[in-house]
Amino acid sequence: MKIVVASGKGGTGKTMVSVNLAWAVSQSQETHLIDCDAEEPNVHLFYPGGKDEGPVTVKVPEVDSEKCTLCGACGEFCRYGAISVLTESVMFQAHLCHSCGGCMLSCPVDAITEVPRRIGMITRGEPTPTLTVISGILDEGEIAAPAVIKAAKEAGEWDGVSVLDGPPGTACPVIETMEGADVCILVTESTPSGLADLRRAARLTEAFGIPAGVVINRSDNEDSSTLAFCAEEGLPVLLTIPFDREIAAIQNRGAILCSEKEEWIEAFTQLYEDTVAIAGGIL
Amino acid sequence: MKICITSKGDSPESVPENRFGRTPFFVVYNDETGEIIEVINNTSANDASGVGPKVVQMLVSKGVNVVVTGQVGGNANKGLEVAGIPTYAFGEAKTVAEAYAAYKAGTLTRIV
Amino acid sequence: MKTIAVMSGKGGTGKTMVAAGFSVFSDEKLLLADCDVDAANLSLLLETSNTECRPFMGLECAAIDQTKCVGCGICQVYCRFSAISQGDDGIFCINPLKCEGCGVCSLVCREGAVVISERQSGEVCRSDTPHGPLFHAELFPGSGTSGRLVFEVKKDALNDEPNVPAFLIDGPPGIGCPVISAISGVDAVVLVTEPGISALHDLRRLVTICRQFGVQMFLVLNKADLDEERAEYVRRYCADEKIEIIGTIPFDPAVIEAARRGESVAGMDTPAAESLKKSWKALSAAMGISQ
């Protein structure tokens, strides 16, 4: 069971929902919590102590200048302009490369091999005997977040329950996170931008064919537009969390709501049960 | 030497093109005779990505020595630099011919 | 013209509120761009009109011509993006959500059955606002290349109206592709943060990126009174890093109230508006933007 927590808009409370959901699930069964917001991973702030599991690398071409005849085939093939054949040398620009391997395949004299290039790292921790926390962390200055997300997902792959804390937006990092998910929890807040981004995120889960439900966070009881949208789209509202300075303070200092305030355990346990129901097409 | 000018059209009277990678045409002069020896139709102009470096490779294969254009993006900039192709901004020139004359007169600012 | 990007690392700290507020408090019109292309919301806070859009062509996409395909599956073997799958009926097809248009499948196909064609991934738009022209975009959900769309938005903006004192960019969250694209070429970054453990962690990562680009940094501390202890921590961090704090905004329910009416809080008589006004004055003085 892979549960992705996503939102479209940033800062709506994805990480808060993810860490509490994983906390609640892990009370009764083994759980994996995977931080897929590789650009700004925050789960490890709530569950510190993860150990370095090694680097994440991508494959990039290396040209053997002894063999290279400067024929230009690799540069003509590369659609991203990452490799260019110039007067006396072949120039490679790593930030343009998608690691497709096409330059190597198109070289007629086998002058190109692929070498690994580090772009980030994976950490793994076991804060409790039933909870494993895996984070994908993109190196500062690198751009290929999806490759790090993919590696984090692979590191956390298993048959049990995984909660994936997703990145904001609806572009490549979110696509990589949602790939293969069984169900998606969309966290929103009842503002026009929260709603606009919820709509975008809902369109994405629809494109993937992933069943989804909604958590309304920081509610001030003015949720009518969000509720109307959810009703229209057939998205069940699974949980409403009120705006509350105390909840904000707990979150701000990196603590877990469920372990600080017992009344939330039931809410997040119920959230898990309802999410499983959605995944099974019941809700 | 081959002097290549980015251009909206295929003649010396055409307006020079501000964009380097996405220019429709390259007008190439031989600066020993002052004549246009080739007009290159830029087939990469509408590509989705990586246009700058692709165009640099194409110009290198054509033996171009100098580029005159408006602006150069970062990726193309690096290509031109590594390829050792000096690049100048055409500035106030209204036509390709004027841009070429300004280059010959040495009044253009070098940008790469 | 000075180019200033409003950024945060963490999402939801108030970038758009700050960017909209600055545009309202500027005496002169500005050039505005919303570079959070996959969650673009600046237009929701500014009165926009005369919106005109053009298509944005993103990465190309492969398709298999089933009349030529012999089902050998070599394309699937070589695709690095797991974009090619074989259905139960034995037919190979491309998943456009995963295809990055690299063209390897077309290179290895001996039957010439793969066609690579362009696809529209979104739109780049220009709207009028009372505070200057706004360039924004809409990335179709599920499309990649948000970094390139950011580049296109900035390029269209710069081609439009350079006769303003400042170009103000509402940036994307994170530190990846779209952020790098947004930050390149800017003179200064206004960091918007809030006093929380996540926001501070993300801020540090963004500051590292800003240092790599050598841009000047300013900071706005939003929702400062939600956690005084961490607010103090932000102040000490800024002192250590020599980042000038140009504004401190209290938690103010008027921000959400204004947003629900489709307005910037800057138009209201409230503490957040007052702080935004002071922040803009401090920024425009420091950057020499005429007032």
Side-chain angles (χ1 to χ4, degrees), chain C residues 28-285:
Chain C
E28 292 172 70
K29 285 190 176 182
L30 303 177
L31 180 59
L32 305 168
D34 188 345
C35 288
D36 187 3
V37 294
D38 51 332
N41 295 322
L42 184 55
S43 65
L44 298 177
L45 298 184
L46 300 173
E47 204 182 307
T48 56
S49 57
N50 303 323
T51 300
E52 281 176 23
C53 297
R54 67 168 174 89
F56 163 66
M57 308 310 284
L59 292 176
E60 291 162 311
C61 187
I64 296 173
D65 180 345
Q66 301 297 345
T67 62
K68 291 186 182 162
C69 178
V70 296
C72 72
I74 192 166
C75 54
Q76 188 184 26
V77 172
Y78 280 95
C79 176
R80 291 272 175 90
F81 308 104
S82 315
I84 303 175
S85 57
Q86 189 176 20
D88 295 337
D89 48 7
I91 289 177
F92 285 88
C93 55
I94 312 264
N95 178 353
L97 283 172
K98 306 195 80 180
C99 177
E100 298 194 14
C102 70
V104 162
C105 48
S106 130
L107 182 72
V108 298
C109 179
R110 297 183 207 98
E111 312 299 323
V114 183
V115 200
I116 310 284
S117 47
E118 44 174 31
R119 66 175 145 180
Q120 190 180 348
S121 297
E123 288 183 320
V124 183
C125 306
R126 180 196 187 282
S127 297
D128 287 325
T129 83
H131 317 291
L134 168 66
F135 288 81
H136 48 117
E138 186 73 39
L139 187 72
F140 295 162
S143 303
T145 61
S146 49
R148 226 176 66 81
L149 182 51
V150 167
F151 174 79
E152 296 281 320
V153 170
K154 285 171 72 179
K155 193 185 71 185
D156 277 20
L158 289 168
N159 283 339
D160 187 72
E161 211 163 324
N163 287 329
V164 291
F167 176 22
L168 187 62
I169 295 168
D170 183 13
I175 59 162
C177 186
V179 166
I180 304 284
S181 190
I183 208 172
S184 63
V186 308
D187 298 300
V189 167
V190 174
L191 305 158
V192 182
T193 195
E194 57 189 25
I197 186 169
S198 299
L200 295 177
H201 170 265
D202 298 353
L203 174 67
R204 287 170 173 276
R205 281 165 69 82
L206 180 59
V207 166
T208 306
I209 305 283
C210 290
R211 295 251 185 260
Q212 288 172 3
F213 276 82
V215 297
Q216 201 175 348
M217 286 178 273
F218 300 93
L219 186 133
V220 171
L221 178 53
N222 191 19
K223 303 180 212 167
D225 53 337
L226 279 187
D227 191 327
E228 271 307 330
E229 194 188 326
R230 269 168 198 85
E232 187 48 38
Y233 182 88
V234 174
R235 291 186 192 102
R236 281 204 308 272
Y237 172 73
C238 288
D240 290 348
E241 292 283 331
K242 300 194 169 47
I243 298 169
E244 185 189 341
I245 300 181
I246 53 170
T248 301
I249 302 174
F251 173 76
D252 187 345
V255 173
I256 291 176
E257 217 179 288
R260 289 211 176 108
R261 289 204 306 269
E263 291 169 12
S264 159
V265 73
M268 296 169 73
D269 183 15
T270 115
E274 198 48 44
S275 311
L276 277 169
K277 188 173 184 178
K278 279 189 195 152
S279 309
W280 171 249
K281 286 211 156 142
L283 176 69
S284 50

